[in-house]
Amino acid sequence: MQGTVYKSTGSWYTVKSEDGSFYECRIKGKFRIKGIKSTNPIAVGDEVIFDLEKVGDETVAVIREIKERKNYIIRKSVNLSKQTHIIATNLDQVFLLVTLNNPPTFTSFIDRFLVTAEAYDIPVVLLFNKMDVYDEDEMVEVDYLVQLYRDIGYHCIEIAAKEGDNVDQVRELMLGKTSMFAGHSGVGKSTLVNALEPGLKLKTAEISQQHLQGQHTTTFAEMYDLSFDARIIDTPGIKGFGIVDMGEDEIGDYFPEFFKLKSECKFNNCLHLDEPKCAIKNALENDAISWSRYRSYVQMLTGEEDNYRIDIHKER
């Protein structure tokens, strides 16, 4: 039988078969030693082949094979830095929710996410949420960020998920597609899903005022079929986002504004650090490239893994 993984708890997988039935599946141990370094050999979105087996009086579903993936979003595992964690697979697009505060989403986190998505050819839409609660100064800051990412070529939408503002624009982009919602805990992923499909009633939680961080309400990634011909993968809040398996000479290629200029650098292996006649450094000095983006690039290049929650705006 063939089906799609809708939920993964690490030991059990909920699979929707081609006839629309759901099965709770296990995997055979061999998946764990097949050279897959990921903490989760099977992820939500995977197309799998599974069999039904009789174990005593019980019928058990067992996953035999993972079909080739179109793409996936992967990051370094938080607890096991040498291992990786696949968040979801076979995506048409990702919506990354961004909040200025409560909790803060720093540009270094956004950039790491965007670089990973670029590497796997997954379109990203940036959703600037909680627009209903910002004061005048905060609105200026959000406008700056929106302009920064729009100029690079990213689709940005300003929304207020709680109030339903501009949620229709998100719904329109989702039609006929499998989309993933991502972002820190507390940015409003579940609130947005509930605004799109009130019947789901996903659990939402208040922001912890002490640390201005969200409480985890989604424990595992899970896919939902929506009533308007769309599938959504809701994911647990991501604290950090370590990039995976990228050579230092390719990281810059996943910054679209760097990639456009790299042919103008004097050296074709230019890393845009201290090399002479570097087109990226020149654009930086002329404010044609954002300092926050360049800072993110240098952090990724030099492996400053612990610093992607730094508030770049304080320095700007």
Side-chain angles (χ1 to χ4, degrees), residues 126-188:
L126 294 174
L127 300 181
F128 290 84
N129 193 21
K130 306 191 183 179
M131 295 301 294
D132 52 324
V133 299
Y134 299 136
D135 63 28
E136 210 171 313
D137 289 342
E138 289 167 337
M139 290 294 269
V140 169
E141 192 63 30
V142 173
D143 287 345
Y144 167 79
L145 286 173
V146 168
Q147 204 51 56
L148 188 163
Y149 288 104
R150 270 194 189 139
D151 286 349
I152 295 164
Y154 290 105
H155 191 161
C156 301
I157 307 175
E158 296 165 57
I159 65 167
K162 220 170 185 177
E163 305 300 319
D165 297 350
N166 290 340
V167 168
D168 55 328
Q169 290 183 38
V170 179
R171 186 183 286 112
E172 210 169 297
L173 291 174
M174 292 171 66
L175 290 172
K177 292 179 179 171
T178 298
S179 308
M180 179 178 114
F181 282 8
H184 293 317
S185 295
V187 291

Side-chain angles (χ1 to χ4, degrees), residues 136-306:
E136 210 171 313
D137 289 342
E138 289 167 337
M139 290 294 269
V140 169
E141 192 63 30
V142 173
D143 287 345
Y144 167 79
L145 286 173
V146 168
Q147 204 51 56
L148 188 163
Y149 288 104
R150 270 194 189 139
D151 286 349
I152 295 164
Y154 290 105
H155 191 161
C156 301
I157 307 175
E158 296 165 57
I159 65 167
K162 220 170 185 177
E163 305 300 319
D165 297 350
N166 290 340
V167 168
D168 55 328
Q169 290 183 38
V170 179
R171 186 183 286 112
E172 210 169 297
L173 291 174
M174 292 171 66
L175 290 172
K177 292 179 179 171
T178 298
S179 308
M180 179 178 114
F181 282 8
H184 293 317
S185 295
V187 291
K189 295 184 298 294
S190 298
T191 302
L192 178 55
V193 177
N194 288 336
L196 289 158
E197 190 80 285
L200 278 181
K201 297 189 173 70
L202 293 194
K203 221 163 82 179
T204 60
E206 295 303 311
I207 297 292
S208 153
Q209 286 307 314
Q210 191 182 354
H211 301 295
L212 293 180
Q213 290 187 358
Q215 310 297 305
H216 284 285
T217 52
T218 308
T219 319
F220 304 104
E222 184 165 4
M223 179 141 62
Y224 299 94
D225 292 320
L226 305 183
S227 60
F228 53 92
D229 181 30
R231 296 198 296 186
I232 180 71
I233 298 175
D234 188 29
T235 60
I238 304 166
K239 270 189 180 163
F241 201 92
I243 58 171
V244 176
D245 291 338
M246 281 185 207
E248 59 176 21
D249 57 338
E250 61 178 315
I251 293 172
D253 291 352
Y254 302 130
F255 284 74
E257 71 274 41
F258 290 21
F259 187 68
K260 271 183 205 163
L261 294 171
K262 74 178 259 186
S263 62
E264 296 172 30
C265 290
K266 182 179 179 181
F267 300 106
N268 59 11
N269 62 347
C270 185
L271 289 179
H272 325 306
L273 295 173
D274 305 312
E275 299 90 341
K277 296 190 178 170
C278 167
I280 277 76
K281 290 296 288 279
N282 189 42
L284 188 66
E285 295 300 336
N286 292 311
D287 288 332
I289 280 177
S290 139
W291 278 95
S292 67
R293 290 279 288 171
Y294 182 72
R295 169 72 186 270
S296 293
Y297 165 73
V298 173
Q299 279 182 358
M300 290 179 218
L301 201 64
T302 55
E304 283 184 57
E305 291 297 337
D306 299 327

Side-chain angles (χ1 to χ4, degrees), residues 302-313:
T302 55
E304 283 184 57
E305 291 297 337
D306 299 327
N307 292 332
Y308 43 86
R309 285 179 69 83
I310 288 173
D311 190 351
I312 204 81
H313 304 299

